[in-house]
Amino acid sequence: MTATHADESAARALIVRTARSLFMRGLTHGSTGNLSVRLSDGSLLLTSTGSSLGTVEEAQLSRTDLSGRHLDGPRPTKEAFLHAAFYRARPGAHAVVHLHSTHAAAVSCLDDVNPADALPPLTAYYAMRVGTLPLLPYHAPGDNALEPLAEQTARTHHAVLLANHGPVIAGATLEQAADAIEELEETAKLHLLLRGHTPRPLTPEQAAALAPTSP
């Protein structure tokens, strides 16, 4: 699969394969989480509202334009506006993943999180795949009042954490976005395991040397 996901049929298969992998490995649950790719014509292929990533089928995917307008297929996820905001902000992004993964969601509920960077760079792979992680203030799921802030933040960060909710990550490909969000979840788990201890994260210089390039 190329970065442009030009083949819609292949893109549909990739979304379903990735969705089921994320679900089966416990990175999301129930009907939570949503995935999308940007097709070569500029439209977005997304999981639909109410669908479970564990059972979603290719025919159940939705298509919207970059403004979030529904083009065809079932009704898209109510968080389609978040995907559209990331794509508008990041022309090099061709995939977006949003999950309610347990440890990242737990971090998003903590009162002492740094809103400019919700997780420390505990590992080199986190620094490479995620970098800094702004925490966006709480909005109810589907509240499109979050859209302008998400778009503004996505211009400078390919990953964000939604307060009391979960992470959103854009990537050049769906594989890259899924790898990055999994790395974020594992780092959130490490962060919680280390609470009460004195961690030794990467130095700012070490983290900067590994910072991801912009998709």
Side-chain angles (χ1 to χ4, degrees), residues 1-19 35-41 43-47 56-59 61-63 87 94-95 174-175:
M1 177 64 62
T2 66
T4 58
H5 297 294
D7 184 337
E8 182 175 339
S9 175
R12 286 178 179 271
L14 179 61
I15 288 175
V16 168
R17 186 165 66 248
T18 304
L35 315 179
S36 68
V37 299
R38 178 170 13 203
L39 300 171
S40 58
D41 65 0
S43 65
L44 312 180
L45 195 61
L46 311 94
T47 49
V56 64
E57 301 283 353
E58 292 181 29
L61 301 181
S62 306
R63 202 161 58 86
Y87 289 119
H94 292 88
L174 187 53
E175 296 94 335

Side-chain angles (χ1 to χ4, degrees), residues 106-192:
V107 169
S108 82
C109 298
L110 295 175
D111 191 45
D112 59 353
V113 171
N114 176 4
D117 196 5
L119 282 173
L122 295 173
T123 69
Y125 283 98
Y126 177 83
M128 283 190 288
R129 291 177 177 165
V130 179
T132 56
L133 182 69
L135 178 74
L136 301 191
Y138 175 76
H139 289 72
D143 181 358
N144 61 13
L146 177 58
E147 185 171 2
L149 176 59
E151 184 171 354
Q152 178 185 355
T153 308
R155 292 190 186 113
T156 51
H157 298 84
H158 76 290
V160 302
L161 186 61
L162 308 179
N164 302 83
H165 193 158
V168 185
I169 291 191
T173 67
L174 187 53
E175 296 94 335
Q176 288 182 16
D179 283 348
I181 210 165
E182 187 166 0
E183 195 67 45
L184 190 159
E185 171 64 8
E186 288 302 307
T187 301
K189 183 177 181 180
L190 285 174
H191 178 63
L192 295 171

Side-chain angles (χ1 to χ4, degrees), residues 17-130:
R17 186 165 66 248
T18 304
R20 292 186 179 180
S21 174
L22 293 169
F23 186 92
M24 293 300 293
R25 290 180 296 118
L27 288 159
T28 196
H29 56 277
S31 59
T32 65
N34 32 78
L35 315 179
S36 68
V37 299
R38 178 170 13 203
L39 300 171
S40 58
D41 65 0
S43 65
L44 312 180
L45 195 61
L46 311 94
T47 49
S48 57
T49 188
S51 63
S52 167
L53 297 190
T55 58
V56 64
E57 301 283 353
E58 292 181 29
Q60 295 174 325
L61 301 181
S62 306
R63 202 161 58 86
T64 73
D65 63 17
L66 269 181
S67 70
R69 183 172 61 94
H70 186 198
L71 299 177
D72 59 53
R75 190 157 56 94
T77 169
K78 61 179 172 289
E79 290 162 330
F81 69 88
L82 270 177
H83 294 253
F86 267 75
Y87 289 119
R88 291 194 303 268
R90 306 189 71 82
H94 292 88
V96 173
V97 178
H98 166 50
L99 299 179
H100 298 185
S101 49
T102 301
H103 297 92
V107 169
S108 82
C109 298
L110 295 175
D111 191 45
D112 59 353
V113 171
N114 176 4
D117 196 5
L119 282 173
L122 295 173
T123 69
Y125 283 98
Y126 177 83
M128 283 190 288
R129 291 177 177 165
V130 179

